[in-house]
Amino acid sequence: MNQFRPGSFQVLPVIIKNLIIINVLVFLAQQTFGNGGIVIGESSTQFGFISDTFALHHILSPLFKPWQLITHMFMHAGFGHLFFNMFALWMFGSVLENLWGPKRFLIFYLICGLGAAVLHIASMYYDSSGLITEFNNLKANLNPDAFVRFVNKYGYPPEYTYNEANAVATELRANVNNFEVQNEALKLIASSTNMYISFPTVGASGAVFGCLAAFGIIYPNHLIYFFPAKYVVPFLIISELLAGFQNTPGDNVARFAHVGGAVMGLILAYFWKKNNRQFKRWY
C-alpha cells in the first residue's frame, strides 16, 4: 500500500487553509447580501448582485463574464454544499499540497476549476441548443401556437404573471400581424430564453474532484472508506459521467463540471508523476 509520508506534513497547509477561509467568507457574503440560496426554477436576476456577477453563467447569457470561470469556484449554494466541499478539499488537497508544495498545488487547483468550468459551459451550450433553435425560429416566424408551446415548455419570465403571459398569447392569436403585439411576444420569449440560460452555477466541486482524481493516481492503493483509491476514483467519475448524460429532471448538480475537474486532475497528476524525478521520490 502506498503511504504519503512527506518530511514536514502539515495537517492544514497554507493554501488549503486560505482556500477554506476565502470560501467561508464568500459564503457569508452571499448570505449577508441575500442571495445564498440557489432555488431551482427562479430567474438568475432574482439571486442578487453577487450571484449574477460572480457565479458561472451560460456563455450566451447576458450575465456571463470571463472572470466567472474562476470566481464561481469560491461560491456555494448552501451550508451543506460548502461543508462537504471544504471537507473533501482538506481530506485530499492537504495531502497533495504537502507533496507538491503550495505554489504547484494552487496552480493545480485553479486549472482543475477552469477545466470543470469549460466542460460545464460546453454541456450547457449543448443542452440549450434546442432552446436557441426554437427561439430563432420563433423570431423568424412568430406563430401563435409555437409561441404558446415555447412558453409552456421553458416557462415565462418573472416580470410576467401567468395571466399576463396568457394575455400576450391571446392577443397574438387575435392580432398576429400587429407590430406592438409581436414586439411584446418577442420581448417575452427573449426574457424567457435569458432566464433559462442564466441559471447560476457555483461551487468548488470541480476543483475538489480534480484533487480526488490526483490522489487516486498518486496513491492508487490507499484506502478511501475501505476501498482502494484506484477503484473508488474511477467509480465516482463514471457515475458522474453517466448521471450527466441521463440529465434527470430536477437534478441541479453540475455533473460535467465534476468530470471536467477530475479529467484535468488525472492529466496533471499523471504527467507530473511521470516526468518529474524530484516528484517521484515521494512514492
Side-chain angles (χ1 to χ4, degrees):
M1 179 184 297
N2 291 333
Q3 299 291 334
F4 43 90
R5 300 183 184 277
S8 58
F9 187 87
Q10 293 179 293
V11 174
L12 190 63
V14 61
I15 296 300
I16 296 296
K17 178 175 68 176
N18 283 285
L19 285 174
I20 292 173
I21 290 172
I22 292 170
N23 277 273
V24 170
L25 290 176
V26 171
F27 179 72
L28 291 176
Q30 290 178 258
Q31 300 301 312
T32 300
F33 292 101
N35 65 324
I38 304 300
V39 182
I40 300 173
E42 297 287 352
S43 167
S44 178
T45 56
Q46 295 182 341
F47 292 108
F49 171 79
I50 292 180
S51 186
D52 287 348
T53 306
F54 299 110
L56 182 63
H57 292 86
H58 193 296
I59 197 169
L60 297 179
S61 168
L63 296 175
F64 174 78
K65 297 293 185 294
W67 60 73
Q68 295 169 359
L69 295 168
I70 295 292
T71 56
H72 82 282
M73 70 178 79
F74 297 98
M75 303 174 65
H76 289 85
F79 178 76
H81 189 206
L82 172 71
F83 175 81
F84 286 109
N85 271 347
M86 294 303 98
F87 179 74
L89 174 62
W90 169 77
M91 180 182 291
F92 301 107
S94 59
V95 176
L96 300 177
E97 184 178 345
N98 276 289
L99 181 65
W100 294 336
K103 183 177 179 180
R104 176 171 283 195
F105 175 75
L106 180 59
I107 292 171
F108 170 85
Y109 183 83
L110 293 176
I111 290 176
C112 288
L114 281 171
V118 169
L119 188 57
H120 180 62
I121 285 177
S123 70
M124 286 195 296
Y125 188 87
Y126 177 80
D127 288 341
S128 65
S129 58
L131 164 67
I132 302 301
T133 299
E134 290 181 50
F135 174 65
N136 289 331
N137 289 340
L138 262 178
K139 285 201 300 182
N141 180 24
L142 192 56
N143 178 277
D145 292 330
F147 171 83
V148 171
R149 285 196 300 271
F150 185 93
V151 175
N152 287 337
K153 183 176 181 180
Y154 297 109
Y156 54 89
E159 60 266 30
Y160 289 83
T161 66
Y162 177 79
N163 289 334
E164 287 173 339
N166 277 341
V168 173
T170 301
E171 286 188 46
L172 187 63
R173 287 185 186 279
N175 303 285
V176 69
N177 295 318
N178 184 287
F179 176 77
E180 291 185 3
V181 174
Q182 288 181 345
N183 191 51
E184 185 65 24
L186 289 173
K187 180 182 174 183
L188 190 153
I189 63 172
S191 187
S192 180
T193 300
N194 286 335
M195 177 192 72
Y196 191 88
I197 65 175
S198 293
F199 192 85
T201 300
V202 296
S205 305
V208 170
F209 257 80
C211 295
L212 173 65
F215 186 90
I217 285 285
I218 297 168
Y219 305 110
N221 295 316
H222 189 83
L223 298 182
I224 301 177
Y225 296 115
F226 310 111
F227 298 99
K230 62 185 176 183
Y231 300 132
V232 174
V233 171
F235 173 78
L236 291 175
I237 296 174
I238 293 171
S239 296
E240 291 297 306
L241 186 63
L242 293 176
F245 281 120
Q246 281 183 329
N247 198 20
T248 305
D251 182 5
N252 66 337
V253 178
R255 304 290 182 180
F256 286 108
H258 296 172
V259 174
V263 169
M264 291 306 302
L266 288 172
I267 293 172
L268 287 173
Y270 174 78
F271 282 103
W272 286 355
K273 179 179 178 180
K274 181 178 179 181
N275 298 325
N276 193 326
R277 292 182 180 179
Q278 182 71 15
F279 180 63
K280 284 182 180 180
R281 67 188 181 89
W282 295 114
Y283 302 97

